[in-house]
Amino acid sequence: MERPDNLILVIFGASGDLTSRKLIPALCSLRRQNLLPEKFVVLGIGRTKLSSEDFRKKMSDAVRSYSEDIVPWDEQIESFTENVYYYQMDTYSITEDPWLFVSYLNELGDKYAVGGNYIFYMATPPSLYEPISVSLARSGLMNQEKGFRRIIIEKPFGYDLESGRNLNSILHGIMREDQIFRIDHYLGKETVQNLLVTRFANGIFEPLWNRNYIDRVEITSAESIGVEDRGGYYDSSGALRDMVQNHLLQMVGLTAMEPPSSLGPDAIRNEVLKVFQSLQPIKEEDVAANVIRGQYTSSLVRGECLSGYRSEKGVERNSRTETFVAIKFYINNWRWGGVPFYIRTGKRLPTRVTEIVIHFKTTPHHLFQREHGKLSANQLIIRIQPDEGILFKFDMKEPGAGFNVKNVNMDFHYSDLANIRVPSAYERLLYDVMMNDSTLFSRDDEVETAWKFLEPIQKAWENNKSIKIFGYPAGTWGPEHASDLIEGEDLDWRYPCKNLTDDGLYCEL
Ligand code: NDP
Ligand code: BG6
């Protein structure tokens, strides 16, 4: 793989959680694989008072704590952090008087001869994306005469349709769309990209991938953690904005899209956009029947007493922010007309798991006796995390007299590909920005269309106080009402376990 051109990566919000937990470990892994530019500098910016030396130490510790690489590589960490710098600044300083910062950055650029190439990463609270971007542009830093200038914007991109549109229009007023990389780290996950390969590299799936053979599609993204120390941010966001608007809808897009004409950035994103444009709007008056929201309450989980959401740090005591959401919707196009899509996500669920389940239709005529007399149908389960892999469930004859049929598993686990390292999502995405490849980043129109779909839900929750928010004990699968969404007698969500091949309400978590 090619190495990117020399550059400085400026991280706004460098003293925060994302930088320590994800960004710096990912950069260090890229360095280990020789995939960083020959001359590469990180300039971290935060409000906390730190010297560059303190910051280097903090980042070295972060790599040791959070890197998924298991080889001992102390020397490499030290050599990586040599070119890491810190600049203490409040947004106030950059919006009011950016010149000190600009001259510091340009000095670093000259010192390391990076040819004027800068990438700016917004790892700050979302309210700062706009003022920082505007100040960068005003200071001439988005001008590409002297080198490339790109900006990476973390999610959430806006708060609703109007704010998402506003942010797009402000950014478009000061830079070109191809300078903007809206990050959705789910698109950087190997297993999410493998969805494209599964669908479009294998001839057997495409003929079945439509309303004629598929009964319903289910996507779950469950987390066992609560809001931890992000209560302040999360309480004004909730699961709909934090997970559905971006990660879950992107998975819907890749599952439902038509085959792209190429792997070019616009070819894939055009097809995802068409899916978003075909989402059947849920009318405000239908929200209660199609969208279930919940909030975790305190509970004893495996001997540990877990707090309820309202007692978490930074959360309002009477908060009505949802920590769980499940939605039923349709995609109005020829491929998917009439096929329900069910998506759900939540914090403090029993286990951490993300998967896509394709439920195929049952056979038209039932010849055989099945286990417990119930009809079973084929399922294809694409496991995004953990125990990444693919599971196909189908019926087989039980050995012996008669024709007893048993549902069995055929499974592939990424871990079977011994010696192949699965790169972290941020590693892939940071490398792509450096290589100017925007395929795995959300485009302006995708983000706005996703907000448009969610707008009636946001409005209904805001305007109609009679729409319930259900409590669910921490460590359970969310409000029981989520099961009522699933159409069909005896049908329910799949209750996934830690291991891809097991499921059910009671299994290893
Ligand atoms: P943190 O609260 O941990 O960090 C925020 C950073 O922004 C800190 O460095 C903080 O500086 C800085 N900051 C805050 N206000 C100002 C200000 N007025 N002027 C200058 N700097 C400021 O947040 P996270 O790192 O968790 O999240 C950052 C972004 O990344 C958010 O938009 C979040 O949605 C997104 N994200 C985070 C993920 C994660 O795993 N953490 C995952 C996916 C997305 P200081 O602390 O020094 O005051
Ligand atoms: C982030 C959300 O985008 O994704 C977090 O802000 C969530 O609330 C996280 O925990 C989940 O990411 P992953 O990769 O752990 O599934």
Side-chain angles (χ1 to χ4, degrees), residues 22 154-155 185-186 189 221-223 225-226 230 233-234 242-243 246-247 347 352 354 385 426:
K22 304 279 188 189
E154 259 300 341
K155 56 147 279 275
H185 77 277
Y186 266 55
K189 290 184 191 270
S221 188
E223 294 185 90
I225 55 168
R230 296 173 72 214
Y233 150 74
Y234 195 89
D242 187 51
M243 294 291 291
N246 30 71
H247 309 325
K347 300 232 179 247
R352 174 179 183 251
T354 299
Q385 63 193 21
Y426 278 95

Side-chain angles (χ1 to χ4, degrees), residues 329-353:
F329 60 88
Y330 291 89
I331 298 177
N332 279 344
N333 62 22
W334 275 46
R335 187 185 284 269
W336 296 110
V339 177
F341 277 67
Y342 301 97
I343 60 177
R344 67 178 166 169
T345 182
K347 300 232 179 247
R348 281 275 184 247
L349 300 188
T351 189
R352 174 179 183 251
V353 64

